Amino acid sequence: MKIGVADTTFARVNMGAIATDELRRHASVSIERYTVPGVKDLPVAAKKLIEERGCDIVMALGMPGGVEKDKMCAHEASQGLIKAQLMTNTHIIEVFVHEDEAKDGAELAWLAEQRTREHAENAVRLILRPDELVKMAGTGQRQGFEDAGPARY
C-alpha cells in the first residue's frame, strides 16, 4: 500500500512531516510526498499522487488563512478535492486547519498537529482496517478538538 501526502508551503506548520511521522507509527506503508504552494494546488497534487505515483489514498493538508478570501479559496480547493476523488475513485482525506480556528499561534500549531495525526490514523483505517471505522460509526469523532460524542435520546 502507498499513501500520498500533499501539503503546502502556505501552511504555518509542517503538516506533511507530521502526517508522515504518524503514518509510519500505524502502518508499514510506502509514503509519497508532494508539496505545493497553496490549498488550491492540492487537488491536482492529489490527483497526480493517485494517477502518476500509484497512491492508494491521499491526505491533502492545508492551512487556509482567516480572512474571507482565504475561506473562499479553501471552499474552492475542497470542491476540487471532491472532484478529484470522483475522477479517480480514490479517497482523498482533506485535512484543513483554518487560521481562525485557534486563538493564537500555539493553539494553531497544536490543532494542526492533532488534526493531522488523527486523520493519518483515519487514512490507515480506510485502506487497511476499515472495520475499525464501522465500529466508530455514530460516535461523534472530531479531528483536532475534543470529540463531540454520540447524541443522546
Side-chain angles (χ1 to χ4, degrees):
M1 288 288 187
K2 186 187 284 191
I3 298 178
V5 175
D7 65 332
T8 72
T9 61
F10 187 85
R12 296 174 56 199
V13 175
N14 190 343
M15 297 168 72
I18 295 166
T20 299
D21 177 65
E22 193 67 19
L23 290 167
R24 287 193 174 122
R25 288 182 189 197
H26 294 280
S28 179
V29 294
S30 177
I31 298 168
E32 190 79 27
R33 189 162 171 190
Y34 191 125
T35 303
V36 295
V39 293
K40 289 192 292 185
D41 302 302
L42 288 171
V44 72
K47 190 170 180 289
K48 288 171 83 68
L49 282 165
I50 294 163
E51 294 181 344
E52 296 176 11
R53 299 189 188 180
C55 293
D56 299 292
I57 193 169
V58 172
M59 293 181 68
L61 309 157
M63 185 175 286
V67 300
E68 193 58 37
K69 182 175 185 174
D70 294 325
K71 293 175 187 200
M72 182 175 22
C73 288
H75 180 265
E76 292 168 351
S78 184
Q79 295 297 303
L81 290 169
I82 291 167
K83 288 178 185 174
Q85 287 185 83
L86 295 171
M87 292 170 69
T88 62
N89 201 34
T90 303
H91 287 287
I92 300 171
I93 307 298
E94 179 182 309
V95 186
F96 285 2
V97 177
H98 296 258
E99 284 187 355
D100 61 357
E101 287 187 78
K103 64 180 181 265
D104 56 32
E107 185 179 52
L108 183 66
W110 174 85
L111 179 59
E113 180 165 354
Q114 290 302 115
R115 187 166 292 161
T116 300
R117 289 189 184 282
E118 291 181 36
H119 273 302
E121 287 184 68
N122 286 336
V124 170
R125 286 179 182 123
L126 270 169
I127 62 168
L128 295 177
R129 298 187 286 275
D131 289 345
E132 289 181 15
L133 289 172
V134 173
K135 291 176 186 173
M136 297 168 69
T139 60
Q141 300 294 305
R142 300 295 183 265
Q143 289 72 38
F145 291 121
E146 187 175 335
D147 294 340
R152 301 286 181 215
Y153 295 96

Coordinates of all heavy atoms in Angstrom, one line a residue, residues 4 14 25-26 35 45-49 51 72 84 90 118 122-124 141 143 145:
G4 N -0.3 8.8 -0.2 CA 0.2 10.1 -0.7 C -0.1 11.2 0.4 O -1.1 11.2 1.0
N14 N 4.4 22.4 9.5 CA 4.8 21.4 8.6 C 3.9 20.2 8.7 O 4.3 19.1 9.3 CB 6.3 21.0 8.8 CG 6.8 20.2 7.6 OD1 6.1 19.6 6.9 ND2 8.1 20.1 7.5
R25 N 3.9 5.4 12.3 CA 3.6 4.8 13.6 C 2.5 3.7 13.5 O 2.5 2.9 14.4 CB 3.1 5.9 14.6 CG 4.2 6.8 15.0 CD 3.6 7.8 16.0 NE 4.5 8.9 16.3 CZ 4.4 9.7 17.3 NH1 3.4 9.6 18.2 NH2 5.3 10.6 17.5
H26 N 1.7 3.9 12.5 CA 0.5 3.0 12.5 C 0.5 1.9 11.4 O -0.3 1.0 11.4 CB -0.8 3.8 12.3 CG -1.1 4.7 13.5 ND1 -1.7 4.2 14.6 CD2 -0.8 6.0 13.7 CE1 -1.7 5.2 15.5 NE2 -1.2 6.3 15.0
T35 N 4.6 18.5 -2.3 CA 4.4 19.8 -1.7 C 4.1 20.9 -2.7 O 4.8 20.9 -3.7 CB 5.6 20.3 -0.8 OG1 5.8 19.3 0.2 CG2 5.3 21.6 -0.1
A45 N -2.4 18.0 -7.1 CA -1.3 17.3 -6.5 C -1.9 15.9 -6.0 O -1.2 14.9 -6.2 CB -0.8 18.0 -5.2
A46 N -3.1 15.9 -5.5 CA -3.7 14.6 -5.0 C -3.9 13.7 -6.2 O -3.6 12.5 -6.2 CB -4.9 14.9 -4.3
K47 N -4.4 14.3 -7.3 CA -4.7 13.5 -8.5 C -3.5 12.9 -9.1 O -3.4 11.8 -9.5 CB -5.5 14.4 -9.5 CG -6.1 13.6 -10.7 CD -7.0 14.5 -11.5 CE -7.6 13.8 -12.7 NZ -6.6 13.5 -13.8
K48 N -2.4 13.7 -9.1 CA -1.1 13.2 -9.6 C -0.6 12.1 -8.7 O 0.0 11.1 -9.2 CB -0.1 14.4 -9.7 CG -0.4 15.3 -10.9 CD 0.4 16.6 -10.9 CE 1.8 16.4 -11.5 NZ 1.8 16.2 -12.9
L49 N -0.7 12.3 -7.4 CA -0.2 11.2 -6.5 C -1.0 9.9 -6.7 O -0.4 8.8 -6.7 CB -0.4 11.7 -5.0 CG 0.6 12.6 -4.5 CD1 0.1 13.3 -3.2 CD2 2.0 12.0 -4.3
E51 N -2.8 9.0 -9.7 CA -2.6 8.5 -11.1 C -1.2 8.3 -11.6 O -0.9 7.4 -12.4 CB -3.3 9.5 -12.1 CG -4.8 9.5 -11.9 CD -5.6 10.5 -12.8 OE1 -4.9 11.3 -13.4 OE2 -6.8 10.3 -12.9
M72 N -12.9 31.4 0.9 CA -13.4 31.1 -0.4 C -12.4 30.2 -1.1 O -12.8 29.2 -1.8 CB -13.7 32.4 -1.2 CG -14.2 32.1 -2.6 SD -14.7 33.5 -3.6 CE -13.8 34.9 -3.0
A84 N -11.6 15.4 -7.6 CA -10.5 14.5 -7.8 C -10.8 13.1 -7.3 O -10.5 12.1 -7.9 CB -9.2 15.1 -7.2
T90 N -10.9 7.3 -5.6 CA -9.9 7.1 -4.6 C -10.2 8.1 -3.5 O -10.4 9.3 -3.7 CB -8.5 7.3 -5.1 OG1 -8.3 6.3 -6.2 CG2 -7.5 7.0 -4.1
E118 N -4.7 12.6 13.8 CA -5.9 11.8 13.8 C -6.4 11.5 12.4 O -6.9 10.3 12.2 CB -7.0 12.6 14.6 CG -6.6 12.7 16.1 CD -7.7 13.4 16.9 OE1 -8.9 13.3 16.6 OE2 -7.3 14.2 17.8
N122 N -7.0 7.8 10.4 CA -8.2 7.5 9.6 C -7.8 7.0 8.2 O -8.4 6.1 7.7 CB -9.1 8.8 9.4 CG -9.8 9.1 10.7 OD1 -10.1 8.2 11.5 ND2 -10.2 10.3 10.9
A123 N -6.7 7.6 7.6 CA -6.3 7.1 6.3 C -5.8 5.7 6.4 O -6.2 4.9 5.5 CB -5.1 8.0 5.8
V124 N -5.1 5.3 7.4 CA -4.7 3.9 7.6 C -5.9 3.0 7.8 O -6.0 1.9 7.2 CB -3.7 3.8 8.8 CG1 -3.4 2.3 9.1 CG2 -2.4 4.5 8.5
Q141 N -16.9 11.5 16.4 CA -15.5 11.7 16.4 C -15.2 13.1 15.8 O -15.8 13.5 14.8 CB -14.8 10.6 15.5 CG -14.9 9.2 16.1 CD -14.2 9.0 17.4 OE1 -13.0 9.3 17.5 NE2 -15.0 8.6 18.4
Q143 N -11.7 15.5 14.7 CA -10.2 15.5 14.5 C -9.7 16.9 14.9 O -10.0 17.9 14.4 CB -9.8 15.2 13.1 CG -10.1 13.8 12.7 CD -11.6 13.4 12.5 OE1 -12.3 14.2 12.0 NE2 -12.0 12.3 12.9
F145 N -9.9 19.0 17.9 CA -10.5 19.3 19.2 C -11.2 18.1 19.8 O -11.3 17.0 19.1 CB -11.5 20.5 19.1 CG -10.8 21.8 18.8 CD1 -11.1 22.5 17.7 CD2 -9.8 22.3 19.7 CE1 -10.4 23.8 17.5 CE2 -9.2 23.5 19.5 CZ -9.5 24.3 18.4

